[in-house]
Amino acid sequence: MAIATTYALDFERPLIELERKIDELKALSQSGASDFTAEIARLEKKAKRLQSEIFSDLSRWQVVQLSRHPARPYFLDYVQHLFTDFFELEGDRRFAADAAIVGGFARFDGEPVLVIGHQKGRSTKENMQRNFGMPRPEGYRKAQRLMKLAERFRRPIFTFVDTPGAYPGLGAEERGQAEAIAVCLETMSGLTVPVITTVVGEGGSGGALAIGVGNRVLMLENSVYSVISPEGCASILWRDGSRADKAADAMKLTARDLHGFKIIDEVIPEPPGGAHRDPAKMAESVGKSLRKHLSQLKQLSPEALVDDRYRKFRAMGVFLDNA
Amino acid sequence: MAWFSKKQPRISRPEEDEARPSRMQGLWVKCEECSEIIYRPEIEKNLNVCPNCGHHMPWPARARLAAVLDPDSFEELDRELEPQDPLGFMDSKRYRDRLKATRKNLDEADAFISGLGRIEGTQVSVGCFLFEFMGGSMGSVVGEKVTRVFERARERNLPAIIFSASGGARMQEGIFSLMQMAKTSAAIARFREVRKPYISVLLHPTTGGVAASFSWLGDVILAEPKALIGFAGPRVIEQTIRQKLPEGFQRSEFLLDHGMIDAIVPRKELRQKLGQLLGLLA
């Protein structure tokens, strides 16, 4: 999973510059010019301290930025790391292929499963093709079809959420974006096979939830999940999209927030500095969690799986019942 | 010594938005569509449809249920549910205070009323949005009430009818609002077992998380004429594609053309059409 990008967020920059300096010194040492071992050790210690300083107290808006980091591992990176024998199925049988949602069968620890996820692009070209991970109705209809297929063949389903949201475009509306999402929600709630959802980056509103009705919902430490994007929230509430940081705080959208609200089941810790700093290690942690939850869910009968999922979502909501 | 002995009388300020009486409360009403000035009782008699041009104006939920259901058949349930403020949300105002003010103004606890009623003798589990309550937005209370409409229909083996008019999920309840989409859709999945119809009636406007969950899951989907119905609001789409939307985009007639709904039903025929469908399916 070599992710070639030098992009750095503002708050990451001091750390990355320090690391670059360390690398330079190491190169100099190796070339035999002189011995910088002591200096390197000192700087490495400093880098470690700096990292824990920056990352121990991230604001919600910083977490939002990390969740959208261009170097963050995407769905297909996890597929490559955690699954074998991946066979992508692209057809929605209705209108078009939608590369913003990728799905296919694969093996997890040798066992055949279905994997579905939002997929963002790394390059401008790929982002055009994948529409920045914003699905059109076709993507959701493909997901429905594949999930029904998985159910018929009794294959567990893993979904990976990472989208700014469903695409708000002309054609998407014409072809029933709302209907496509709604049917996904109903379809998922009735599946008789285990469904495990992992939010790996951005959980953008209904477009995220459409593939997120799992028996278990897990989130990476620096991922977010919200009813509307912080920018959208800010532009509605204060008519100013630039106050997104404030909106992020108001909405409480981080993995930790949601775990506190009991909306999600587990927060998967990220490597120091975020998932993009060590994608292989990140994937390993995700794999461990998936394995654990799958083995628990496999104990349940098909009916019990539907019940389990129903009860989970049925209980969501905070209100006062004076009856 | 002061130059002026008399102080200016205090200029009275218009009251806050939420307290300002709506146009519908005056004796005369101006139709937004044809600009005709109409005597209010006449419009009410005409189910809030402009007698001049047929424009469908907002129709308060309670008046709608009273007119669509058999006389005095509506029994309201789940009145005891009250919204909370799980996020401690605050924008220009605290969500808690906003709820309190809206409640005081409208005498309703949240944006949805529901219960049991009859249409031409057939008992139905029914619910209707109050758009005037925070844009009919769906938070935990609305989601719970919608869920109970389907649970009740399932337990009692009844058809379900929901009248939707909503801007979508309620931002102020954050992720809890989003999850109501899954909760309500799951309730429908269970309800399907009883083989009774769910008729979804889409009113102006129905968008966002409400459109993208139970509203679009009707076995039959009806809409009032010229209602705005869609996933994203027109403003968001215009900003995304950077061009003006075509005339009539996302209106009922447009959706019918695209096969996304089953029929457009003028308000005057609503009760009769619902009765007919129930006769055919329930």
Side-chain angles (χ1 to χ4, degrees), chain A residues 66-135:
Chain A
L66 279 173
S67 76
R68 298 172 177 169
H69 199 294
R72 196 170 172 82
Y74 295 151
F75 167 55
L76 285 175
D77 300 314
Y78 292 101
V79 170
Q80 198 195 345
H81 249 249
L82 296 174
F83 301 89
T84 54
D85 221 7
F86 177 57
F87 197 118
E88 184 179 354
L89 303 175
E90 293 191 56
D92 77 330
R93 302 288 197 278
R94 293 287 181 274
F95 182 76
D98 185 349
I101 286 187
V102 172
F105 289 91
R107 287 176 191 276
F108 184 63
D109 294 336
E111 179 194 0
V113 299
L114 174 69
V115 289
I116 294 180
H118 301 103
Q119 180 64 34
K120 296 178 177 176
R122 289 264 174 239
S123 60
T124 309
K125 196 177 156 206
E126 199 197 347
N127 258 323
M128 298 299 283
Q129 181 212 347
R130 300 207 181 272
N131 201 29
F132 299 86
M134 293 185 283

Coordinates of all heavy atoms in Angstrom, one line a residue, chain A residues 66-135:
Chain A
L66 N -8.4 15.0 9.0 CA -7.7 13.7 8.9 C -8.6 12.7 8.1 O -8.1 11.9 7.3 CB -7.4 13.2 10.3 CG -6.1 13.7 10.9 CD1 -6.0 13.2 12.4 CD2 -4.9 13.4 10.2
S67 N -9.9 12.7 8.4 CA -10.7 11.7 7.8 C -10.8 11.9 6.3 O -11.1 11.0 5.5 CB -12.2 11.9 8.3 OG -12.8 13.0 7.8
R68 N -10.4 13.1 5.8 CA -10.4 13.4 4.4 C -9.0 13.5 3.8 O -8.8 14.0 2.7 CB -11.1 14.8 4.1 CG -12.5 14.9 4.6 CD -12.9 16.4 4.5 NE -14.3 16.5 4.8 CZ -14.9 17.7 5.0 NH1 -14.2 18.8 4.9 NH2 -16.2 17.8 5.2
H69 N -8.0 13.1 4.6 CA -6.6 13.3 4.2 C -6.4 12.5 2.8 O -6.8 11.4 2.7 CB -5.7 12.7 5.2 CG -4.3 13.1 5.1 ND1 -3.5 12.8 4.1 CD2 -3.6 13.9 6.0 CE1 -2.3 13.4 4.2 NE2 -2.3 14.0 5.4
P70 N -5.8 13.2 1.9 CA -5.7 12.6 0.5 C -4.8 11.3 0.5 O -4.9 10.6 -0.4 CB -5.0 13.7 -0.3 CG -5.0 14.9 0.5 CD -5.3 14.6 1.9
A71 N -4.0 11.2 1.6 CA -3.2 10.0 1.6 C -3.8 8.9 2.5 O -3.2 7.8 2.7 CB -1.8 10.3 2.2
R72 N -5.0 9.1 3.0 CA -5.7 8.2 3.9 C -6.0 6.9 3.1 O -6.4 7.0 1.9 CB -7.0 8.8 4.4 CG -7.5 8.0 5.6 CD -8.7 8.8 6.2 NE -9.3 8.1 7.3 CZ -8.9 8.0 8.5 NH1 -7.8 8.6 8.9 NH2 -9.6 7.2 9.4
P73 N -5.8 5.7 3.7 CA -6.1 4.5 2.9 C -7.6 4.5 2.6 O -8.4 4.8 3.5 CB -5.8 3.4 3.9 CG -5.3 4.0 5.2 CD -5.1 5.5 5.0
Y74 N -7.9 4.1 1.4 CA -9.3 4.0 0.9 C -9.8 2.6 0.9 O -9.0 1.6 1.2 CB -9.4 4.6 -0.5 CG -9.2 6.1 -0.6 CD1 -8.7 6.7 -1.7 CD2 -9.4 6.9 0.5 CE1 -8.4 8.0 -1.8 CE2 -9.2 8.3 0.5 CZ -8.7 8.8 -0.7 OH -8.4 10.2 -0.8
F75 N -11.0 2.4 0.6 CA -11.6 1.0 0.6 C -10.8 0.0 -0.1 O -10.5 -1.1 0.4 CB -13.0 1.1 0.0 CG -13.6 -0.2 -0.4 CD1 -13.7 -1.2 0.6 CD2 -14.1 -0.5 -1.7 CE1 -14.3 -2.4 0.3 CE2 -14.6 -1.7 -2.0 CZ -14.8 -2.7 -1.0
L76 N -10.3 0.3 -1.4 CA -9.6 -0.7 -2.1 C -8.2 -1.0 -1.5 O -7.7 -2.1 -1.7 CB -9.5 -0.3 -3.6 CG -10.8 -0.4 -4.4 CD1 -10.6 0.1 -5.8 CD2 -11.2 -1.9 -4.5
D77 N -7.7 -0.1 -0.7 CA -6.5 -0.4 0.0 C -6.7 -1.5 1.0 O -5.9 -2.4 1.2 CB -5.9 0.9 0.6 CG -5.6 2.0 -0.4 OD1 -5.0 1.6 -1.4 OD2 -6.0 3.1 -0.2
Y78 N -7.9 -1.4 1.7 CA -8.2 -2.4 2.7 C -8.5 -3.8 2.0 O -8.1 -4.8 2.5 CB -9.4 -2.0 3.5 CG -9.1 -0.9 4.4 CD1 -9.4 0.4 4.1 CD2 -8.3 -1.1 5.6 CE1 -9.1 1.5 4.9 CE2 -8.0 0.0 6.4 CZ -8.4 1.3 6.1 OH -8.0 2.3 6.9
V79 N -9.1 -3.7 0.8 CA -9.4 -4.9 0.1 C -8.1 -5.6 -0.2 O -7.9 -6.8 0.0 CB -10.2 -4.6 -1.2 CG1 -10.3 -5.9 -2.1 CG2 -11.6 -4.1 -0.9
Q80 N -7.1 -4.8 -0.7 CA -5.9 -5.4 -1.1 C -5.1 -6.0 0.1 O -4.5 -7.1 0.0 CB -5.0 -4.3 -1.7 CG -3.8 -4.7 -2.5 CD -2.8 -3.6 -2.7 OE1 -3.2 -2.4 -2.5 NE2 -1.6 -3.9 -3.1
H81 N -5.3 -5.4 1.2 CA -4.6 -5.9 2.4 C -5.2 -7.0 3.1 O -4.6 -7.9 3.7 CB -4.4 -4.7 3.4 CG -3.0 -4.3 3.5 ND1 -2.2 -4.5 4.6 CD2 -2.2 -3.7 2.6 CE1 -1.0 -4.0 4.4 NE2 -1.0 -3.5 3.2
L82 N -6.6 -7.0 3.2 CA -7.3 -7.9 4.1 C -7.9 -9.1 3.4 O -8.3 -10.0 4.0 CB -8.3 -7.2 4.9 CG -7.8 -6.1 5.8 CD1 -9.0 -5.3 6.4 CD2 -7.0 -6.7 6.9
F83 N -8.1 -8.9 2.1 CA -8.9 -9.9 1.3 C -8.1 -10.5 0.2 O -7.2 -9.9 -0.3 CB -10.2 -9.3 0.8 CG -11.1 -8.7 1.8 CD1 -10.9 -7.4 2.3 CD2 -12.1 -9.5 2.5 CE1 -11.8 -6.9 3.2 CE2 -12.9 -9.0 3.5 CZ -12.7 -7.7 3.9
T84 N -8.4 -11.7 -0.2 CA -7.8 -12.4 -1.3 C -8.9 -12.7 -2.3 O -10.1 -12.7 -2.0 CB -7.1 -13.7 -0.9 OG1 -8.0 -14.5 -0.2 CG2 -5.9 -13.4 0.0
D85 N -8.4 -13.0 -3.6 CA -9.3 -13.5 -4.5 C -10.5 -12.6 -4.9 O -11.6 -13.0 -5.2 CB -10.0 -14.8 -3.9 CG -10.1 -15.9 -5.0 OD1 -9.6 -15.7 -6.1 OD2 -10.7 -16.9 -4.7
F86 N -10.2 -11.3 -4.8 CA -11.3 -10.3 -5.0 C -11.8 -10.3 -6.5 O -11.0 -10.2 -7.4 CB -10.8 -8.9 -4.7 CG -11.8 -7.8 -4.9 CD1 -13.0 -7.8 -4.3 CD2 -11.4 -6.7 -5.7 CE1 -13.9 -6.7 -4.5 CE2 -12.3 -5.6 -5.9 CZ -13.6 -5.7 -5.3
F87 N -13.1 -10.4 -6.6 CA -13.7 -10.4 -8.0 C -14.7 -9.2 -8.0 O -15.8 -9.4 -7.4 CB -14.3 -11.7 -8.3 CG -14.6 -11.9 -9.8 CD1 -14.0 -12.9 -10.5 CD2 -15.5 -11.0 -10.5 CE1 -14.3 -13.1 -11.8 CE2 -15.7 -11.2 -11.8 CZ -15.1 -12.2 -12.5
E88 N -14.4 -8.2 -8.7 CA -15.3 -7.0 -8.7 C -16.5 -7.3 -9.6 O -16.3 -7.8 -10.7 CB -14.6 -5.7 -9.1 CG -15.6 -4.5 -9.0 CD -14.9 -3.2 -9.4 OE1 -13.7 -3.2 -9.6 OE2 -15.7 -2.2 -9.5
L89 N -17.7 -6.9 -9.1 CA -18.9 -7.0 -10.0 C -19.5 -5.6 -10.1 O -19.8 -5.0 -9.2 CB -20.0 -7.9 -9.3 CG -19.5 -9.4 -9.0 CD1 -20.5 -10.1 -8.2 CD2 -19.1 -10.1 -10.3
E90 N -19.5 -5.1 -11.4 CA -19.8 -3.7 -11.6 C -21.2 -3.3 -11.9 O -21.6 -2.2 -12.0 CB -18.9 -3.2 -12.7 CG -17.4 -3.2 -12.2 CD -16.5 -2.4 -13.2 OE1 -16.8 -1.3 -13.5 OE2 -15.6 -3.1 -13.7
G91 N -22.0 -4.3 -12.3 CA -23.3 -4.0 -12.9 C -24.4 -3.7 -11.9 O -24.6 -4.4 -10.9
D92 N -25.2 -2.7 -12.2 CA -26.4 -2.4 -11.5 C -27.7 -3.0 -12.2 O -28.7 -3.0 -11.6 CB -26.6 -0.9 -11.1 CG -27.1 -0.1 -12.3 OD1 -26.8 -0.5 -13.5 OD2 -27.8 0.9 -12.1
R93 N -27.4 -3.4 -13.4 CA -28.5 -4.0 -14.3 C -29.6 -3.0 -14.6 O -30.7 -3.4 -14.9 CB -29.1 -5.2 -13.6 CG -28.2 -6.3 -13.3 CD -27.7 -7.0 -14.6 NE -27.1 -8.3 -14.2 CZ -25.9 -8.4 -13.8 NH1 -25.1 -7.4 -13.8 NH2 -25.4 -9.6 -13.5
R94 N -29.4 -1.7 -14.3 CA -30.5 -0.7 -14.5 C -30.1 0.4 -15.5 O -30.8 0.7 -16.4 CB -30.8 0.0 -13.2 CG -31.4 -1.0 -12.2 CD -32.9 -1.3 -12.5 NE -33.5 -2.2 -11.5 CZ -33.4 -3.5 -11.5 NH1 -32.7 -4.1 -12.4 NH2 -33.9 -4.2 -10.5
F95 N -28.9 1.0 -15.2 CA -28.6 2.2 -16.0 C -27.1 2.3 -16.4 O -26.8 2.5 -17.5 CB -29.1 3.4 -15.3 CG -28.9 4.7 -16.0 CD1 -29.7 5.0 -17.1 CD2 -27.9 5.5 -15.7 CE1 -29.5 6.2 -17.8 CE2 -27.6 6.7 -16.4 CZ -28.5 7.1 -17.4
A96 N -26.3 2.2 -15.3 CA -24.9 2.4 -15.6 C -24.0 1.9 -14.5 O -24.5 1.5 -13.4 CB -24.6 4.0 -15.6
A97 N -22.7 1.8 -14.7 CA -21.8 1.4 -13.7 C -21.4 2.7 -12.9 O -21.3 3.8 -13.5 CB -20.5 0.9 -14.3
D98 N -21.3 2.5 -11.6 CA -20.9 3.7 -10.8 C -19.7 3.3 -10.0 O -19.7 2.5 -9.1 CB -22.1 4.0 -9.8 CG -21.8 5.2 -9.0 OD1 -20.7 5.7 -9.0 OD2 -22.8 5.7 -8.3
A99 N -18.6 4.0 -10.4 CA -17.3 3.7 -9.7 C -17.1 4.3 -8.4 O -16.1 4.1 -7.7 CB -16.1 4.1 -10.7
A100 N -18.1 5.0 -7.9 CA -18.0 5.6 -6.5 C -18.3 4.6 -5.5 O -18.0 4.8 -4.3 CB -18.9 6.8 -6.4
I101 N -19.0 3.5 -5.9 CA -19.2 2.4 -5.0 C -18.7 1.2 -5.7 O -19.0 0.9 -6.8 CB -20.7 2.2 -4.6 CG1 -21.2 3.3 -3.6 CG2 -20.9 0.8 -4.0 CD1 -22.6 3.0 -3.1
V102 N -17.8 0.5 -5.0 CA -17.2 -0.7 -5.6 C -17.6 -1.9 -4.7 O -17.8 -1.8 -3.5 CB -15.6 -0.6 -5.5 CG1 -15.0 -1.9 -5.9 CG2 -15.1 0.5 -6.4
G103 N -17.9 -3.0 -5.4 CA -18.4 -4.2 -4.7 C -17.9 -5.4 -5.4 O -17.7 -5.4 -6.6
G104 N -17.8 -6.5 -4.7 CA -17.4 -7.7 -5.2 C -17.2 -8.8 -4.2 O -17.2 -8.5 -3.0
F105 N -17.1 -10.1 -4.6 CA -16.8 -11.1 -3.7 C -15.3 -11.3 -3.6 O -14.5 -11.0 -4.4 CB -17.5 -12.4 -4.2 CG -19.0 -12.3 -4.1 CD1 -19.8 -11.9 -5.1 CD2 -19.6 -12.7 -2.9 CE1 -21.2 -11.7 -5.0 CE2 -21.0 -12.6 -2.7 CZ -21.8 -12.1 -3.8
A106 N -15.0 -11.8 -2.4 CA -13.5 -12.0 -2.1 C -13.5 -13.0 -0.9 O -14.5 -13.5 -0.5 CB -12.9 -10.7 -1.7
R107 N -12.3 -13.3 -0.6 CA -12.1 -14.2 0.6 C -11.5 -13.5 1.8 O -10.6 -12.7 1.6 CB -11.2 -15.4 0.2 CG -11.8 -16.4 -0.7 CD -10.9 -17.5 -1.1 NE -11.4 -18.3 -2.2 CZ -12.3 -19.3 -1.9 NH1 -12.6 -19.6 -0.7 NH2 -12.8 -20.0 -3.0
F108 N -12.1 -13.8 2.9 CA -11.5 -13.2 4.2 C -11.1 -14.4 5.0 O -11.9 -15.2 5.4 CB -12.6 -12.4 4.9 CG -12.2 -11.7 6.2 CD1 -11.2 -10.7 6.1 CD2 -12.7 -12.0 7.4 CE1 -10.7 -10.1 7.3 CE2 -12.3 -11.4 8.6 CZ -11.3 -10.4 8.5
D109 N -9.8 -14.5 5.3 CA -9.3 -15.7 5.9 C -9.7 -17.0 5.2 O -10.1 -18.0 5.8 CB -9.7 -15.8 7.4 CG -9.2 -14.7 8.2 OD1 -8.1 -14.1 7.9 OD2 -9.8 -14.4 9.3
G110 N -9.8 -16.9 3.9 CA -10.1 -18.0 3.1 C -11.6 -18.2 2.8 O -12.1 -18.9 2.0
E111 N -12.4 -17.5 3.6 CA -13.9 -17.7 3.5 C -14.5 -16.7 2.6 O -14.2 -15.5 2.7 CB -14.5 -17.5 4.9 CG -16.0 -17.6 4.9 CD -16.7 -17.1 6.2 OE1 -15.9 -16.6 7.1 OE2 -17.9 -17.1 6.3
P112 N -15.3 -17.2 1.6 CA -15.9 -16.2 0.7 C -16.9 -15.2 1.3 O -17.7 -15.6 2.1 CB -16.7 -17.1 -0.3 CG -16.2 -18.5 -0.1 CD -15.7 -18.5 1.3
V113 N -16.7 -14.0 1.0 CA -17.6 -12.9 1.6 C -17.9 -11.9 0.5 O -17.2 -11.9 -0.5 CB -16.8 -12.2 2.8 CG1 -16.5 -13.1 3.9 CG2 -15.6 -11.5 2.3
L114 N -18.8 -11.0 0.8 CA -19.0 -9.8 -0.1 C -18.4 -8.6 0.6 O -18.6 -8.3 1.8 CB -20.5 -9.6 -0.3 CG -20.9 -8.3 -1.1 CD1 -20.5 -8.5 -2.5 CD2 -22.4 -8.0 -0.9
V115 N -17.7 -7.8 -0.2 CA -17.2 -6.5 0.2 C -17.8 -5.4 -0.6 O -17.8 -5.5 -1.9 CB -15.6 -6.4 0.2 CG1 -15.1 -7.3 1.3 CG2 -15.1 -6.8 -1.1
I116 N -18.2 -4.3 0.0 CA -18.8 -3.2 -0.7 C -18.2 -1.9 0.0 O -18.2 -1.9 1.2 CB -20.3 -3.2 -0.6 CG1 -20.9 -4.3 -1.4 CG2 -20.9 -1.9 -1.2 CD1 -22.4 -4.4 -1.3
G117 N -17.8 -1.0 -0.8 CA -17.4 0.3 -0.2 C -17.4 1.5 -1.1 O -17.4 1.3 -2.3
H118 N -17.5 2.6 -0.5 CA -17.3 3.9 -1.3 C -15.8 3.9 -1.6 O -15.0 3.6 -0.9 CB -17.6 5.1 -0.4 CG -19.0 5.1 0.1 ND1 -19.3 4.8 1.4 CD2 -20.2 5.4 -0.5 CE1 -20.6 4.9 1.6 NE2 -21.2 5.3 0.4
Q119 N -15.5 4.4 -2.8 CA -14.2 4.6 -3.3 C -13.9 6.0 -3.8 O -14.5 6.4 -4.7 CB -13.8 3.5 -4.3 CG -12.4 3.5 -4.8 CD -11.4 3.2 -3.7 OE1 -11.7 2.4 -2.9 NE2 -10.2 3.8 -3.8
K120 N -12.9 6.6 -3.1 CA -12.5 7.9 -3.6 C -11.3 7.7 -4.5 O -10.7 6.7 -4.5 CB -12.1 8.8 -2.5 CG -13.2 9.2 -1.5 CD -12.6 10.0 -0.3 CE -13.7 10.5 0.6 NZ -13.2 11.2 1.8
G121 N -10.9 8.7 -5.3 CA -9.8 8.6 -6.2 C -8.5 9.3 -5.6 O -8.6 10.2 -4.8
R122 N -7.4 8.8 -6.1 CA -6.1 9.4 -5.6 C -5.7 10.5 -6.5 O -5.2 11.5 -6.0 CB -5.0 8.3 -5.6 CG -5.1 7.3 -4.6 CD -4.3 7.6 -3.3 NE -4.7 6.6 -2.3 CZ -5.2 6.8 -1.1 NH1 -5.3 8.0 -0.7 NH2 -5.5 5.8 -0.3
S123 N -5.9 10.4 -7.8 CA -5.5 11.4 -8.7 C -6.8 12.2 -9.2 O -7.9 11.7 -9.0 CB -4.8 10.8 -9.9 OG -5.7 9.9 -10.6
T124 N -6.5 13.3 -9.8 CA -7.7 14.1 -10.4 C -8.4 13.2 -11.3 O -9.7 13.2 -11.3 CB -7.2 15.3 -11.1 OG1 -6.3 16.0 -10.2 CG2 -8.3 16.2 -11.5
K125 N -7.7 12.5 -12.2 CA -8.3 11.7 -13.2 C -9.2 10.6 -12.5 O -10.3 10.4 -12.9 CB -7.2 11.0 -14.0 CG -7.8 10.5 -15.3 CD -6.7 9.9 -16.2 CE -7.2 8.9 -17.1 NZ -6.3 7.9 -17.6
E126 N -8.6 9.9 -11.5 CA -9.4 8.9 -10.9 C -10.6 9.5 -10.1 O -11.6 8.8 -10.0 CB -8.5 8.1 -9.9 CG -9.1 6.7 -9.5 CD -8.5 6.1 -8.3 OE1 -7.4 6.5 -7.9 OE2 -9.0 5.1 -7.8
N127 N -10.4 10.7 -9.6 CA -11.5 11.3 -8.8 C -12.6 11.7 -9.8 O -13.8 11.6 -9.4 CB -11.0 12.5 -8.1 CG -10.8 12.2 -6.6 OD1 -11.6 11.5 -6.0 ND2 -9.8 12.8 -6.0
M128 N -12.3 12.0 -11.0 CA -13.4 12.3 -12.0 C -14.1 11.0 -12.2 O -15.4 11.0 -12.2 CB -12.8 12.8 -13.3 CG -12.0 14.1 -13.2 SD -13.0 15.4 -12.7 CE -13.9 15.7 -14.2
Q129 N -13.4 9.9 -12.4 CA -14.0 8.6 -12.7 C -14.9 8.2 -11.5 O -16.0 7.6 -11.6 CB -12.9 7.6 -13.0 CG -13.4 6.2 -13.3 CD -12.4 5.2 -12.9 OE1 -11.3 5.4 -12.5 NE2 -12.9 3.9 -12.9
R130 N -14.4 8.4 -10.3 CA -15.0 7.9 -9.1 C -15.9 9.0 -8.4 O -16.5 8.8 -7.4 CB -14.0 7.4 -8.1 CG -13.2 6.3 -8.6 CD -12.7 5.4 -7.5 NE -11.8 4.3 -8.0 CZ -12.3 3.1 -8.4 NH1 -13.6 2.9 -8.4 NH2 -11.5 2.2 -8.8
N131 N -16.0 10.1 -9.1 CA -16.9 11.2 -8.6 C -16.6 11.6 -7.2 O -17.5 11.8 -6.4 CB -18.3 10.8 -8.8 CG -19.2 12.1 -8.9 OD1 -18.8 13.1 -9.3 ND2 -20.5 11.9 -8.4
F132 N -15.3 11.6 -6.8 CA -14.9 11.9 -5.4 C -15.6 11.0 -4.4 O -15.8 11.5 -3.2 CB -15.1 13.4 -5.2 CG -14.3 14.3 -6.1 CD1 -14.8 14.7 -7.3 CD2 -13.0 14.7 -5.7 CE1 -14.1 15.5 -8.2 CE2 -12.3 15.6 -6.6 CZ -12.8 15.9 -7.8
G133 N -15.9 9.8 -4.8 CA -16.6 8.9 -3.8 C -18.0 9.3 -3.5 O -18.6 8.9 -2.5
M134 N -18.6 10.1 -4.4 CA -20.1 10.4 -4.2 C -20.9 9.6 -5.2 O -21.0 9.9 -6.4 CB -20.3 11.9 -4.5 CG -19.6 12.8 -3.4 SD -20.0 14.5 -3.6 CE -18.9 14.9 -5.0
P135 N -21.6 8.6 -4.7 CA -22.4 7.7 -5.6 C -23.6 8.4 -6.2 O -24.2 9.3 -5.6 CB -22.8 6.6 -4.6 CG -22.0 6.7 -3.4 CD -21.7 8.2 -3.3

